[in-house]
Amino acid sequence: MDASTLSRIGLAGLAVMGQNLALNIAEKGFPISVYNRTISKVDETLHRAQSEGPFPLTGQYSPRDFVISIQRPRSIIILVKAGNPVDLTISALTEFMEPGDTIIDGGNEWYQNTERRIQEVGEKGILYLGMGVSGGEEGARHGPSLMPGGSLEAYNNIESVLKSVAAQVDDGPCVTYIGEGGSGNFVKMVHNGIEYGDMQLISEAYDVLKNVGGLSNGELAEIFEEWNRGELESFLIEITSDIFKVKDDLADGDLVDKILDKTGMKGTGKWTVQQAAELSVAAPTIAASLDCRYLSGLKEERESAAEILEKAGLKEEVGGVKSEIDKKRLIDDVRQALYASKICSYTQGMNLLRAKSVEKGWDLNFGELARIWKGGCIIRAVFLDRIKKAYLRNPNLASLVVDPEFAREMVQRQAAWRRVVGLAISAGISTPGMCASLAYFDTYRRARLPANLVQAQRDLFGAHTYERTDRPGAFHTEWTKLARKSSAGAFK
């Protein structure tokens, strides 16, 4: 083919995310070739490129034609379902690719699969990137947050493209080279885990305000809109306000009240919690959000439990609480509790990233990660800029909770936080995310924990030994023998 007609980049996999990212790339002036096994998806993308553009986008109908339509060294993004479909797509494309070409997987892939594929295609001289893409369909079309990890050479080949299509914030495009291996996928996975926690905390704030405070959906829309102008400003707070404004077009009332209370998931939250456990990193807020999704799926069991426990004498306490509530104070308390809980959730995610970075030698830049999450992605929030600054002040920061600025804010908000959690417990409203965040904060801030008793128990039944506070070394005690001897002496 004539070099002047070759595309700058290629994209295979034209579901909505793939189509939108391809159109984003083309709209930024980069000629792009697209391919999908289903021919109609190619035609659909071509039609959109003309109607929304025209944009420099060409469609190809076979893997061979697709690959040879891209200029060398070729860079091809694949956006297909994680797992075996990715392997099948790689197999079909690499048959026609050459050493020095690059594959970029933009799906939510398990990081170890990416590391395996890096080795496999590397044997053919092909470069590989596992690139997290956040922002959903809208972000893909108009500017996502991009988290590419793997070959630095591969990243350099398409850096100009990625910087152009990524979301743009005040301190640059929301993309950076994450690190080697599967680091990009791992960072995106933890991003999604933080997202789980964020969504759970917002839902709990909604539950308390609605069922304890007695606020209407109209009032909730106004509250969240106001919150989005302050310290809680974020994508998720903004869209929550919008959700409360939508009327049901199939029946009377608001649409949010007609939605079945069962939460879906695709697996990244579970992976995050599993990795936290394997790395011995506490992530209770994220784990609580995952547990709540599991419990939400037990809809029939929960309805049955509610009926059985009511017959057993369980009474709702919400009504009595409502009559005594100071709504203005409750709203402000919930705002503060939500903010403090969110700090704990982000802290847990960043600590998990740090632990994995140390284990794998990725040398992750946590301030830069906070920066690229400021735009495009689902967890984008104004306070990410402050997280970035915290890591600039101290790149080795042990926890966001002990950054001087965040520490001051946590202390200022803890009274309101405790009031909300206590009120919710009294009313029988579950707030597992807020409770987990508060317990995390209270455990982390204490210089001495009751773990000394746990160690004594372990030593008694398993001779696991223990350390002392006043001298070095490992110690073992014959606890039962000494206790009986002490008891016998007491009765003499």
Side-chain angles (χ1 to χ4, degrees):
M1 295 180 68
D2 185 342
S4 64
T5 65
L6 295 175
S7 295
R8 171 69 175 85
I9 194 169
L11 190 147
L14 297 173
V16 178
M17 280 287 289
Q19 285 189 25
N20 282 0
L21 187 59
L23 292 167
N24 183 358
I25 292 169
E27 186 175 29
K28 299 302 189 297
F30 299 99
I32 182 170
S33 294
V34 299
Y35 166 72
N36 197 87
R37 286 193 307 164
T38 305
I39 290 174
S40 61
K41 291 292 185 183
V42 178
D43 293 336
E44 185 181 314
T45 309
L46 288 170
H47 175 74
R48 287 187 62 189
Q50 286 302 309
S51 62
E52 297 179 28
F55 301 140
L57 183 148
T58 58
Q60 304 295 335
Y61 297 92
S62 74
R64 179 184 179 278
D65 290 346
F66 172 62
V67 171
I68 66 174
S69 71
I70 304 164
Q71 70 183 44
R72 297 185 183 91
R74 302 179 181 93
S75 294
I76 297 175
I77 299 171
I78 57 175
L79 272 168
V80 299
K81 188 176 180 180
N84 192 52
V86 176
D87 290 310
L88 293 174
T89 303
I90 291 171
S91 178
L93 297 178
T94 53
E95 184 178 347
F96 308 102
M97 296 176 72
E98 300 173 308
D101 291 349
T102 295
I103 290 175
I104 306 109
D105 177 14
N108 278 333
E109 188 56 271
W110 175 237
Y111 83 99
Q112 289 180 335
N113 284 341
T114 292
E115 297 191 333
R116 168 177 59 81
R117 291 169 186 143
I118 288 172
Q119 296 297 320
E120 291 173 351
V121 302
E123 294 173 2
K124 301 178 181 180
I126 295 172
L127 309 178
Y128 200 92
L129 285 173
M131 182 173 71
V133 179
S134 180
E137 298 170 9
E138 187 73 11
R141 180 65 184 86
H142 299 292
S145 176
L146 300 172
M147 294 154 257
S151 166
L152 178 58
E153 181 183 350
Y155 174 75
N156 289 335
N157 287 342
I158 59 163
E159 182 179 28
S160 61
V161 177
L162 299 183
K163 284 188 171 181
S164 295
V165 304
Q168 308 293 316
V169 292
D170 55 357
D171 47 5
C174 293
V175 60
T176 192
Y177 175 70
I178 300 296
E180 297 178 348
S183 58
N185 295 117
F186 195 90
V187 166
K188 175 57 163 58
M189 178 198 76
V190 174
H191 162 285
N192 286 17
I194 294 171
E195 179 184 311
Y196 271 51
D198 224 348
M199 295 173 73
Q200 176 63 30
L201 292 168
I202 291 170
S203 75
E204 292 173 16
Y206 152 66
D207 199 8
V208 171
L209 291 174
K210 183 179 180 67
N211 291 306
V212 179
L215 300 176
S216 68
N217 290 332
E219 290 173 312
L220 289 166
E222 292 179 4
I223 289 164
F224 276 84
E225 192 170 334
E226 180 182 344
W227 285 357
N228 198 48
R229 292 191 289 267
E231 64 189 11
L232 288 172
E233 180 186 339
S234 65
F235 172 72
L236 286 170
I237 294 291
E238 178 185 355
I239 67 170
T240 300
S241 175
D242 290 341
I243 286 168
F244 291 128
K245 299 173 185 176
V246 176
K247 298 296 181 182
D248 187 358
D249 59 358
L250 299 178
D252 293 336
D254 299 321
L255 180 56
V256 68
D257 295 327
K258 308 293 174 56
I259 296 175
L260 185 66
D261 52 324
K262 287 175 67 173
T263 308
M265 63 188 114
K266 293 186 176 179
T268 47
K270 180 175 74 173
W271 291 347
T272 303
V273 173
Q274 288 173 331
Q275 281 293 294
E278 288 190 15
L279 291 163
S280 301
V281 173
T285 310
I286 299 172
S289 71
L290 182 64
D291 288 340
C292 282
R293 294 197 181 198
Y294 292 148
L295 285 166
S296 77
L298 304 177
K299 176 64 173 176
E300 292 181 359
E301 286 187 38
R302 289 187 288 112
E303 289 178 332
S304 176
E307 185 178 339
I308 292 169
L309 291 168
E310 184 179 357
K311 288 178 181 177
L314 182 66
K315 295 180 180 179
E316 291 285 350
E317 303 294 336
V318 174
V321 173
K322 278 184 185 178
S323 62
E324 307 167 5
I325 209 73
D326 179 339
K327 285 189 179 182
K328 186 175 181 181
R329 181 180 181 182
L330 177 66
I331 292 166
D332 189 59
D333 279 355
V334 171
R335 174 186 60 79
Q336 296 187 64
L338 178 56
Y339 183 80
S341 297
K342 280 164 65 78
I343 291 175
C344 288
S345 184
Y346 280 74
T347 296
Q348 293 159 31
M350 299 306 263
N351 287 351
L352 176 54
L353 289 173
R354 184 178 69 229
K356 197 67 176 182
S357 179
V358 170
E359 179 192 74
K360 302 288 288 186
W362 285 338
D363 194 26
L364 297 180
N365 183 328
F366 307 112
E368 183 69 352
L369 294 183
R371 186 194 70 78
I372 67 170
W373 289 344
K374 285 168 57 180
C377 71
I378 303 301
I379 65 170
R380 60 184 183 265
V382 68
F383 86 150
L384 278 161
D385 190 57
R386 301 183 47 235
I387 293 177
K388 181 193 79 169
K389 290 175 180 176
Y391 282 108
L392 286 176
R393 285 192 292 271
N394 181 3
N396 298 313
L397 185 65
S399 169
L400 289 173
V401 171
V402 295
D403 170 76
E405 285 195 17
F406 282 118
R408 184 167 55 252
E409 291 185 335
M410 298 290 277
V411 171
Q412 291 170 348
R413 286 160 179 76
Q414 67 164 336
W417 196 4
R418 296 180 196 284
R419 283 195 296 270
V420 171
V421 168
L423 184 64
I425 290 172
S426 297
I429 298 294
S430 61
T431 53
M434 288 187 181
C435 286
S437 288
L438 182 56
Y440 177 82
F441 172 73
D442 280 338
T443 303
Y444 189 73
R445 70 176 177 80
R446 293 183 64 191
R448 184 164 174 82
L449 295 170
N452 56 316
L453 179 58
V454 176
Q455 281 299 87
Q457 291 170 334
R458 293 179 72 245
D459 187 52
L460 186 152
F461 66 68
H464 294 294
T465 73
Y466 58 88
E467 295 177 90
R468 294 178 59 103
T469 59
D470 56 353
R471 64 196 66 192
F475 297 85
H476 170 61
T477 296
E478 295 291 337
W479 297 91
T480 304
K481 184 187 297 184
L482 292 173
R484 287 173 181 168
K485 181 179 179 181
S486 176
S487 296
F491 288 108
K492 286 183 179 179

